[in-house]
Amino acid sequence: MATQAPSFDESQIGDASAAPAFSPLYQQIKSLILQSLQAGHWKPGDLIPSEIELAARFRVSQGTVRKAIDELAAEHLVVRRQGRGTFVATHAEQHVQFRFLRLLPDHGDLGSEGPAQRSIIDCKRQRAPADVARTLGLRTGDAVLQVRRVLSFQGVPTILEDLWLPGSAFKGLTAERLASHQGAMYALFETEFGVRMVRADEKLRAVAADEQAAERLQVTPGAPLLSVERVAYTYQDAPMELRRGLYRTDTHHYRNSLS
Amino acid sequence: MATQAPSFDESQIGDASAAPAFSPLYQQIKSLILQSLQAGHWKPGDLIPSEIELAARFRVSQGTVRKAIDELAAEHLVVRRQGRGTFVATHAEQHVQFRFLRLLPDHGDLGSEGPAQRSIIDCKRQRAPADVARTLGLRTGDAVLQVRRVLSFQGVPTILEDLWLPGSAFKGLTAERLASHQGAMYALFETEFGVRMVRADEKLRAVAADEQAAERLQVTPGAPLLSVERVAYTYQDAPMELRRGLYRTDTHHYRNSLS
DNA sequence: CAGTGGTCTAGACCACACT
DNA sequence: GTGTGGTCTAGACCACTGC
């Protein structure tokens, strides 16, 4: 915050003073707010300071702060509520769930089938295989947590997935803790480990069920399944989760919007 | 443009005068620009009037026009180019292609394998089946165009798809015209029929290849394929295309970003 | 050089939420 | 009423493009 802080040097128009940064003022403000989010200074669900206060704090106009927050809101990192203030976004809201769970029942509305039944099959610490280490930005052999679980809808097992998490960030995560938690996993990550997932990339494929998957999902071996490999990122595009899922798509489908 | 035009009645602050509309000024401006786009007044690739001119035309400040255009740019309906102006977005740019074609080779960069080879299998007019009519907002039995084609990458047939288009909007579309056209289909729709696809919803499933698909895609019957059903929309969310595709995902994958 | 979009400021008023 | 975000204006200067 020292070198390129917009609070110093310039008189009116932000020229960002000296050497390092050379970006618009509002980008610098955005960056500063982002750092506060990342540092956990303001936690998910928290009310952040008002635009007027931030403007005073950073010595810029309210309009500049507004533009910075506009972008953060567009990226779903904060949520604006007229008359109330601006809040740090959280996975604890129903509405947010569907951004990361794209599997919907073929018939019926959003969430008409009620919440998924989660069952943890396994949760163990181990050394990271090479491919997992690479995508998580770790070294091969570093400690990782592997979780395997099944999600069922209306009693029908529909999703089988494996998760890999960096061991360092998720100390103390156990099958019991996962099982006792109602609701989305990312919400637990926020409240228990201060890790907020912000963005994810997925690669989808159609594959044939192997013996093990067929048994877990109660389909015949060789049945087509949707393979979903996800890398989820926290602030600053730091990868924090690798997830490999197999979805039954006989009564559900994966929805996507292109725009 | 008469009833709720922002050009009249109010003196400074936009209160949108009389009865019908009750939305922010910039939304009304956005709406007016949208109408010009939809009417084909400004065509894909065209330079639209400058912010200053639009502000004068609509009797609002430049900042209000700017906010309207900002939203249009965020929706990819226009593209801003500093120093040059604002242009109507078009599918004729390489960069835009990848927004609607999500299948990528597992290895190699974007487009490293070169453009797809397109081969039209069939292109015929017929009466719309009930399900097609429903999703396209037509009546059962209305004229529709059905196109069937295969896309190959480096000689390997990878995508088999059926398209349905409203007959009324695509008069004169023939297999020859499709075949003679190099490049993306949506670019042809723009230049030849004045139809610009703006947004699309997709439903994905894993399915087993039937006899016909297996033959066309050179896989064994029963092999897993990714089924992609797309409804594409033009301005104002009017559905203009139903597309059902089967993708081979043994050397390619469907990529998606969640945010 | 003139023209365009991009950034920044300052000040006004509106719509909404809480108290 | 007070404080918040939301809208709108007016004017300044910057950065880029093309003549």
Side-chain angles (χ1 to χ4, degrees):
Chain A
M1 175 157 165
T3 57
Q4 67 193 70
S7 329
F8 310 120
D9 291 15
E10 83 290 347
S11 53
Q12 278 214 46
I13 303 297
D15 73 290
S17 68
F22 212 54
S23 59
L25 244 190
Y26 76 90
Q27 286 285 2
Q28 299 178 45
I29 304 299
K30 180 183 171 185
S31 197
L32 291 172
I33 297 174
L34 213 38
Q35 283 171 35
S36 285
L37 291 173
Q38 187 188 12
H41 193 147
W42 306 317
K43 297 200 165 52
D46 280 3
L47 176 67
I48 76 173
S50 74
E51 294 177 353
I52 292 177
E53 188 187 328
L54 288 173
R57 184 179 302 185
F58 296 134
R59 315 283 190 90
V60 299
S61 77
Q62 186 182 357
T64 299
V65 170
R66 169 170 292 276
K67 182 148 188 179
I69 294 180
D70 276 347
E71 290 203 353
L72 293 171
E75 295 166 25
H76 303 120
L77 298 180
V78 299
V79 175
R80 324 188 74 141
R81 301 197 195 284
Q82 187 176 83
R84 299 182 57 197
T86 301
F87 299 80
V88 182
T90 168
H91 285 278
E93 309 159 35
Q94 279 299 68
H95 154 263
V96 177
Q97 316 273 340
F98 298 108
R99 285 226 322 278
F100 287 87
L101 177 58
R102 316 284 285 223
L103 200 68
L104 293 185
D106 289 340
H107 308 289
D109 297 355
L110 279 171
S112 62
E113 60 185 4
Q117 298 94 52
R118 301 163 168 79
S119 101
I120 308 294
I121 296 174
D122 204 359
C123 176
K124 60 187 180 205
R125 290 185 94 73
Q126 56 177 69
R127 301 196 167 279
D131 60 334
V132 172
R134 186 163 6 92
T135 61
L136 291 182
L138 306 174
R139 272 176 299 221
T140 304
D142 280 0
V144 292
L145 232 86
Q146 183 185 353
V147 179
R148 171 167 295 185
R149 67 168 184 170
V150 169
L151 272 68
S152 301
F153 297 97
Q154 297 184 322
V156 181
T158 307
I159 298 180
L160 166 64
E161 56 187 5
D162 276 299
L163 286 75
W164 282 269
L165 303 164
S168 54
F170 291 88
K171 292 186 202 299
L173 180 59
T174 61
E176 290 69 36
R177 245 167 124 181
L178 280 168
S180 69
H181 183 81
Q182 304 293 357
M185 197 174 283
Y186 286 171
L188 177 140
F189 290 174
E190 278 182 8
T191 54
E192 303 292 315
F193 302 96
V195 174
R196 175 173 160 74
M197 301 301 184
V198 154
R199 192 176 71 72
D201 289 326
E202 293 191 331
K203 294 181 182 181
L204 282 70
R205 285 186 171 77
V207 301
D210 62 17
E211 295 276 342
Q212 193 183 130
E215 166 146 8
R216 294 284 185 198
L217 293 177
Q218 295 175 21
V219 296
T220 59
L225 294 175
L226 183 63
S227 155
V228 179
E229 176 171 312
R230 172 190 295 181
V231 181
Y233 301 87
T234 183
Y235 298 117
Q236 314 281 37
D237 282 330
M240 283 299 274
E241 180 199 58
L242 170 60
R243 187 184 287 217
R244 293 195 176 122
L246 293 172
Y247 296 6
R248 278 180 60 172
T249 53
D250 43 352
T251 58
H252 290 67
H253 62 270
Y254 182 105
R255 67 153 171 84
N256 197 22
S257 274
L258 314 183
S259 55
Chain B
M1 175 157 168
T3 56
Q4 67 192 71
S7 329
F8 310 119
D9 291 15
E10 83 290 346
S11 51
Q12 279 212 48
I13 303 298
D15 73 288
S17 68
F22 214 54
S23 59
L25 243 191
Y26 76 89
Q27 285 287 1
Q28 299 178 44
I29 304 298
K30 179 183 172 186
S31 200
L32 291 173
I33 297 174
L34 213 39
Q35 284 170 34
S36 285
L37 292 173
Q38 187 188 12
H41 194 146
W42 306 318
K43 297 200 164 53
D46 281 1
L47 176 66
I48 76 172
S50 75
E51 295 177 351
I52 292 178
E53 189 187 329
L54 288 173
R57 185 179 302 186
F58 297 135
R59 317 282 188 91
V60 299
S61 78
Q62 185 182 358
T64 300
V65 170
R66 170 170 292 275
K67 182 147 188 180
I69 294 180
D70 277 347
E71 290 204 352
L72 293 171
E75 296 165 25
H76 303 120
L77 298 181
V78 300
V79 176
R80 323 187 74 140
R81 299 197 196 287
Q82 188 176 79
R84 300 183 57 197
T86 301
F87 298 80
V88 181
T90 167
H91 285 278
E93 308 159 36
Q94 278 302 68
H95 154 263
V96 177
Q97 317 274 338
F98 297 108
R99 284 226 323 279
F100 288 88
L101 178 58
R102 318 284 286 223
L103 199 68
L104 293 184
D106 289 340
H107 308 291
D109 298 354
L110 278 173
S112 62
E113 60 186 4
Q117 298 93 51
R118 301 164 168 79
S119 99
I120 308 294
I121 295 175
D122 204 359
C123 175
K124 60 189 179 206
R125 290 186 95 71
Q126 57 177 66
R127 303 197 167 278
D131 60 334
V132 173
R134 186 163 4 93
T135 60
L136 291 182
L138 305 175
R139 273 178 296 223
T140 305
D142 281 359
V144 292
L145 232 85
Q146 183 185 355
V147 179
R148 172 166 293 183
R149 67 168 185 169
V150 170
L151 272 68
S152 301
F153 297 98
Q154 297 183 325
V156 181
T158 307
I159 298 180
L160 166 64
E161 56 189 6
D162 277 299
L163 287 74
W164 282 269
L165 303 165
S168 55
F170 291 88
K171 292 186 202 300
L173 180 60
T174 62
E176 290 70 38
R177 244 166 126 180
L178 280 169
S180 69
H181 183 81
Q182 304 290 359
M185 198 175 283
Y186 287 171
L188 177 141
F189 291 174
E190 278 181 9
T191 54
E192 304 292 314
F193 302 96
V195 173
R196 175 172 161 72
M197 300 302 183
V198 154
R199 193 177 70 74
D201 289 327
E202 293 191 331
K203 294 183 181 179
L204 282 70
R205 285 186 169 77
V207 301
D210 61 17
E211 295 274 344
Q212 193 183 128
E215 164 146 8
R216 295 283 186 197
L217 293 175
Q218 295 175 20
V219 296
T220 59
L225 295 175
L226 183 62
S227 155
V228 180
E229 177 172 313
R230 172 190 295 180
V231 182
Y233 301 86
T234 184
Y235 297 116
Q236 314 282 37
D237 281 331
M240 282 299 273
E241 181 199 59
L242 170 60
R243 187 183 288 216
R244 293 194 175 123
L246 293 173
Y247 297 8
R248 279 180 61 173
T249 53
D250 42 354
T251 59
H252 290 67
H253 63 268
Y254 181 106
R255 68 154 169 83
N256 196 23
S257 274
L258 315 183
S259 56

